[in-house]
Every structure is written in C-alpha cells, then in structure tokens.
Amino acid sequence: MNFKAIYWGIIGISFGLFGCVFILLSVNLALRADDNTHRVIEAYQGFQDGKCKSCHPAIWREWESSMHAKAWVDEIYQAAAKQITDRETKCDQCHAPQPILMTGIGKMPKLRDTQREAGVSCLVCHLDAHGAMNGPAASAETYFHTNVTNPIYTEPTALCGTCHGQQSVPEHDQVSSFLNSKFAEGDTSCATCHMPVVTRLQSTTSHEAIKGRKHTWRGSRSVAQLKRAAILQLGYADGKVDVKLRSQTGHILPGGTLRTIVLEVTRRAPDGTERQKQHISISAKNENRLLPNENRAYAFDMASATTGDTIKARLIYQLTPDTPEPKRILMAEKTLMIP
C-alpha cells in the first residue's frame, strides 16, 4: 500500500475543504459588507425621501427648527467659513459630518459628500455602519430600520464632544471646560441644558407619549437660554458701583470665540439725561471669558454721582463682532437709585 500517496491525498482533500470553507466565509463576509453598505445607502435615501419626517414628525419638527438643521446653510456660518483657509478640514466637517458612529465618537468628524444642506441630520448622530439607527432604550419600534439601544445616549457628553469638544477648533470647544467643571461630577450632561426632557410620541408607531430629549439644542441663538446664562448683582458705595457677575453655564461663557458679552454701566440724572457710561467686553479675544459657575466682581468709578441719580447695569450678548445693536440680546439688567 502506498502510504505516501494516501498521506498526500488526505492533505490535498484537507486543503480543498479548507479552501471551500475559506471561500464560503469570504463570500459571506462580502455579502454582509454589501448588505451593510446597502442599508446605509437606504438610510440616506430614506432621509432624503422624508421617511424620518413621516415616522418621527414631532422630533422632526424640533430638529428642523434647530441650528443643527441649519448648520450648513446658515448665512453667518458660510460667511465666516469663507474666510478660513482649508475650511474643509477646519470647519465644514462639523457642519455637514458623516455619521459619527461610523467615523468614531470623539474623533474629528469627516465631511460628507451628499446632503450637506441637511447640516447635522438625524443620521449624523444615530446611524451606524450596519445601517441601524442607535438611540436610548425608549426608542420606538419601526418597520423601516433596525433599532439599537446604545448607552451613549444616556450620558451623551462624549457624543456631543465629537464636534463640541475638539480642542483644535476653539470656536466649538465647549466640552473641555465642561469636563473641568463641577457640573461634570454629577448626572449633568450637555443634554441637561440643551435637550430638556419633553413628553411626546416618539414615532407614528408609538401607542403612548413617553419622556424623551427635545431635539432643539437651545444655545446662543435662544433668548431664553441666554437669559438663564448669567446673574447680575448691583451695588453702590463711596462713589463706586460694584457689579457682581455669576455665570450659570456648564461651560465657558461666552461659548464661542466669535461671541462677545458686554457689561455696560450707565448713570443718568433724575431727568433721564445720560451722565456717564462705561463698559467691559468679555470675549475669547480679550482672554477674559467666564469659567463654568464663576463669580466675578467689577468696580466702576462713579464718584460724581449724586442723590437721585439712577445706575443701570446691563449684560448684552453679541453673536458676532458685526452684530448690529438692534440685534444684540439683553441677557440681564439691574437698576438702583442713589439715595
């Protein structure tokens, strides 16, 4: 009996079987990859066709009124970005990013090639590489896409930090100061202030309203949010006006490098005539922004003030250096009369 021939025959059969298994596995993996790619493409097409809107009308209405939805088309952004060299690697990728669950939470996002006008869309924060939509445990069932319960949405600061925590992009780095504050030590996250809890139907397949986070991301364009951002106290003694300013935000204030807060103090005579005006600008340019929950005191010389004069302190917000006075936002004000 030729054992050598039998041995090599067995080896040949083994390699043949291994080759078949390898081919089958390769084909299976390729089919899975193709299937995942198809699902991702289908998700983009579904967004384009309005399926997100038709299935999640309440959440869609919130999103479409937000600055996330306008992140790319906003005129102020486009005007600013045009002045930046190599904007596609310094600005645009956070204003029209690829899904961050695919490019990596915390990593610099990548600029997408399609649907840029949708800004930071549903897909940016929820779509994964398998074509599934990720969300909190309360996500409603749907017939269009697969749902994945992802714990990142319970404490979403890391998710938000993908765009708002890049130290190389100071204009949008609010998360770094938040993480160094006392707010980060508790249960507070970015969502606490910027995505308040609301009760509503999650989708058209929901049977009852449940609690969820509002998809409006109130920020520097919200008058209500700005009025909650700081507190003023005003006092007068021995010819000096003392103004105490306290930040109530969980991050540096103002949050963007183009934003400016002006602390203005005026003195008026009893007949209303303006006698004196002083102001201090608080901005990244002046390197004097307030830290989270910081208390700060300012003293203004008003030695010429007399009985009956009125002192008024105002905190005024400028979205950009070019914001005209009528469009500046009054955050807080205090008035006192000198006895």
Side-chain angles (χ1 to χ4, degrees):
M1 183 177 291
N2 191 340
F3 289 103
K4 188 174 183 179
I6 294 173
Y7 170 79
W8 285 109
I10 292 172
I11 293 296
I13 293 171
S14 298
F15 273 109
L17 290 172
F18 175 79
C20 290
V21 171
F22 178 78
I23 291 171
L24 288 172
L25 285 174
S26 298
V27 170
N28 187 41
L29 290 172
L31 288 173
R32 287 187 181 181
D34 287 344
D35 191 40
N36 289 340
T37 301
H38 174 73
R39 288 175 181 172
V40 170
I41 293 173
E42 191 177 54
Y44 272 96
Q45 188 61 49
F47 178 88
Q48 189 71 37
D49 294 342
K51 288 188 176 181
C52 299
K53 179 179 182 178
S54 63
C55 290
H56 304 280
I59 297 175
W60 180 275
R61 285 194 298 271
E62 295 164 4
W63 170 79
E64 69 178 350
S65 66
S66 74
M67 286 310 303
H68 272 185
K70 301 176 178 66
W72 182 264
V73 299
D74 177 54
E75 293 180 359
I76 292 176
Y77 169 68
Q78 286 295 337
K82 287 177 182 177
Q83 302 176 39
I84 305 298
T85 303
D86 196 17
R87 57 178 283 181
E88 290 191 354
T89 61
K90 295 179 179 178
C91 304
D92 290 346
Q93 66 268 50
C94 277
H95 285 257
Q98 295 178 25
I100 60 179
L101 294 178
M102 296 168 63
T103 56
I105 293 173
K107 296 180 179 180
M108 179 67 76
K110 296 179 180 180
L111 178 63
R112 66 176 182 269
D113 296 324
T114 62
Q115 299 181 8
R116 290 183 182 178
E117 71 283 352
V120 182
S121 69
C122 319
L123 308 182
V124 170
C125 297
H126 295 281
L127 182 66
D128 67 21
H130 302 290
M133 295 296 281
N134 290 237
S139 296
E141 292 298 326
T142 180
Y143 303 107
F144 177 66
H145 57 72
T146 301
N147 278 332
V148 174
T149 297
N150 192 327
I152 193 71
Y153 298 93
T154 304
E155 295 292 337
T157 297
L159 191 74
C160 302
T162 304
C163 280
H164 293 278
Q166 296 292 343
Q167 295 185 28
S168 61
V169 188
E171 174 58 28
H172 281 296
D173 183 17
Q174 294 81 30
V175 170
S176 293
S177 56
F178 169 78
L179 292 176
N180 290 320
S181 73
K182 70 170 189 177
F183 295 98
E185 298 173 2
D187 296 329
T188 305
S189 70
C190 302
T192 304
C193 296
H194 296 283
M195 297 181 72
V197 175
V198 292
T199 301
R200 47 153 156 67
L201 292 174
Q202 294 290 82
S203 78
T204 53
T205 62
S206 302
H207 298 291
E208 60 181 354
I210 61 174
K211 290 183 178 180
R213 292 286 182 180
K214 194 171 185 180
H215 286 53
T216 49
W217 302 281
R218 301 177 305 186
S220 58
R221 309 289 182 102
S222 166
V223 175
Q225 193 82 341
L226 289 173
K227 288 184 178 295
R228 285 190 288 268
I231 294 176
L232 276 180
Q233 289 183 312
L234 182 61
Y236 176 82
D238 301 325
K240 288 189 179 296
V241 172
D242 296 313
V243 180
K244 292 181 179 179
L245 175 59
R246 179 183 177 184
S247 170
Q248 296 197 112
T249 61
H251 53 72
I252 202 164
L253 180 69
T257 58
L258 296 178
R259 302 355 180 179
T260 301
I261 293 175
V262 177
L263 175 59
E264 177 190 272
V265 176
T266 58
R267 176 175 67 88
R268 293 182 180 277
D271 63 0
T273 304
E274 184 179 296
R275 296 297 188 189
Q276 200 171 353
K277 178 184 284 188
Q278 299 180 40
H279 75 272
I280 293 173
S281 293
I282 303 169
S283 65
K285 181 180 179 181
N286 292 334
E287 299 182 346
N288 62 347
R289 290 189 288 179
L290 282 82
L291 296 175
N293 209 40
E294 181 181 354
N295 288 291
R296 192 178 291 178
Y298 297 92
F300 296 87
D301 184 5
M302 298 270 178
S304 56
T306 60
T307 298
D309 283 355
T310 299
I311 307 293
K312 178 179 285 188
R314 300 198 306 161
L315 202 61
I316 304 166
Y317 192 86
Q318 288 181 234
L319 189 65
T320 72
D322 300 324
T323 301
E325 190 169 346
K327 292 187 177 182
R328 298 172 188 175
I329 306 299
L330 179 63
M331 297 174 63
E333 68 176 348
K334 289 289 182 180
T335 303
L336 65 79
M337 182 177 292
I338 297 177

